[in-house]
Each structure stands twice: as structure tokens, then as C-alpha cells.
């Protein structure tokens, strides 16, 4: 082998080593970021009393809904002061959300009980309403 070939082989080896080092560094940084994001989501999911996350797929777009209830463990404060209007709006929104959830749970519970009653063929008020009116007229 002549000197030009030796130089070409050395250059090829150094480029290969440099490429391997950059690949390993990139993989390590990707793995590190994935681990950090997994730790972050694990910590946040553990600290919430209620953590509901779901996606609504529509024909034209996709929406995600997140509902979390729990103690606020964030260290930082808001970068701006909260005004009275903001506090009042947050309280009204929280109240409306609680009322809506209560109505939804009540409606589902009543519907379930009605379907169970119907499935078991339980008649709470025998006869029709018109029959009851005929009895009252006499």
C-alpha cells in the first residue's frame, strides 16, 4: 500500500469513528429526554387525585380533553398577578364544571336504574295513567 491509500484508510476510519460517536451521543440524548419525559409524566400523574385524559376524533379535527384534580405542587408562581375577575371566572368555571359533572352522573345513574327496573320487569305503578283518572272520576 502506498501513502495515499494509507491516508485514505485513516481518514475513512476517523470519519467512521466520528459518525459512531455522534450517533451514540444522539441516541443517549434521545433516551435521556425520553426518560425525563416519562419521569415527568409519572410524577405528575401520581400527584393528581383525578387524572382523566382522552381524545375526541372528529372528521375535520382532533381534540384532547384533560381533567385533573389534586393538590397544586408546582413550585413557580404565575408570571402575572391574578386579578379579581380572573379569580371570579375560575371559581364560576369550577362551579359550573362540578354542577355539570353532578348532573351527568345523576342522569347516568337514573337511566341505569330505570333500565335495570325495566329488565327485571318491575312495575312500580300498575295500570295506565288513564285508568287512574277513571278511578278518580268515580
Amino acid at each position: 500500500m502506498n501513502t495515499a491509500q494509507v491516508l485514505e484508510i485513516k481518514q475513512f476510519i476517523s470519519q467512521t469513528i466520528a459518525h459512531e460517536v455522534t450517533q451514540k451521543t444522539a441516541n443517549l440524548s434521545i433516551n435521556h429526554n425520553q426518560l425525563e419525559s416519562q419521569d415527568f409524566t409519572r410524577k405528575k400523574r401520581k400527584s393528581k387525585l383525578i387524572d382523566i385524559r382522552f381524545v375526541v376524533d372528529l372528521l375535520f379535527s382532533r381534540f384532547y380533553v384533560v381533567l385533573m384534580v389534586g393538590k397544586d405542587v408546582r413550585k413557580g408562581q404565575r408570571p402575572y398577578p391574578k386579578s379579581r375577575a380572573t379569580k371570579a371566572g375560575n371559581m364560576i368555571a369550577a362551579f359550573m364544571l362540578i354542577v355539570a359533572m353532578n348532573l351527568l352522573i345523576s342522569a347516568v345513574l337514573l337511566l341505569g336504574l330505570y333500565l335495570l327496573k325495566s329488565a327485571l320487569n318491575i312495575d312500580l305503578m300498575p295500570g295506565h295513567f288513564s285508568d287512574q283518572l277513571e278511578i278518580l272520576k268515580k
Side-chain angles (χ1 to χ4, degrees), residues 5 16 20 31 59 71:
Q5 291 173 335
T16 305
E20 286 294 320
N31 291 340
L59 294 175
K71 186 176 179 184

Side-chain angles (χ1 to χ4, degrees), residues 20-55:
E20 286 294 320
V21 168
T22 56
Q23 286 293 332
K24 286 182 181 179
T25 305
N27 287 340
L28 286 176
S29 65
I30 289 170
N31 291 340
H32 182 69
N33 289 340
Q34 287 174 348
L35 289 174
E36 282 182 353
S37 66
Q38 287 173 355
D39 288 343
F40 179 73
T41 54
R42 231 181 270 131
K43 285 178 187 174
K44 289 299 176 187
R45 286 185 185 225
K46 281 184 184 177
S47 65
K48 301 300 178 202
L49 195 61
I50 298 173
D51 189 353
I52 300 171
R53 301 169 192 235
F54 60 92
V55 177

Side-chain angles (χ1 to χ4, degrees), residues 8-18:
E8 285 291 324
I9 291 172
K10 285 183 180 180
Q11 185 180 8
F12 176 74
I13 291 172
S14 65
Q15 287 176 351
T16 305
I17 291 172

Side-chain angles (χ1 to χ4, degrees), residues 123-135:
D123 195 9
L124 297 177
M125 296 175 61
H128 292 286
F129 185 68
S130 61
D131 295 339
Q132 299 294 332
L133 288 178
E134 291 295 326
I135 293 171

Side-chain angles (χ1 to χ4, degrees), residues 40-93:
F40 179 73
T41 54
R42 231 181 270 131
K43 285 178 187 174
K44 289 299 176 187
R45 286 185 185 225
K46 281 184 184 177
S47 65
K48 301 300 178 202
L49 195 61
I50 298 173
D51 189 353
I52 300 171
R53 301 169 192 235
F54 60 92
V55 177
V56 178
D57 284 325
L58 300 177
L59 294 175
F60 54 89
S61 63
R62 184 176 184 178
F63 294 96
Y64 66 93
V65 179
V66 177
L67 173 66
M68 289 190 272
V69 177
K71 186 176 179 184
D72 188 8
V73 293
R74 297 177 293 176
K75 299 203 185 322
Q77 295 292 323
R78 291 186 182 191
Y80 55 90
K82 293 186 284 186
S83 66
R84 284 188 173 179
T86 303
K87 289 180 183 179
N90 287 345
M91 292 299 287
I92 290 170

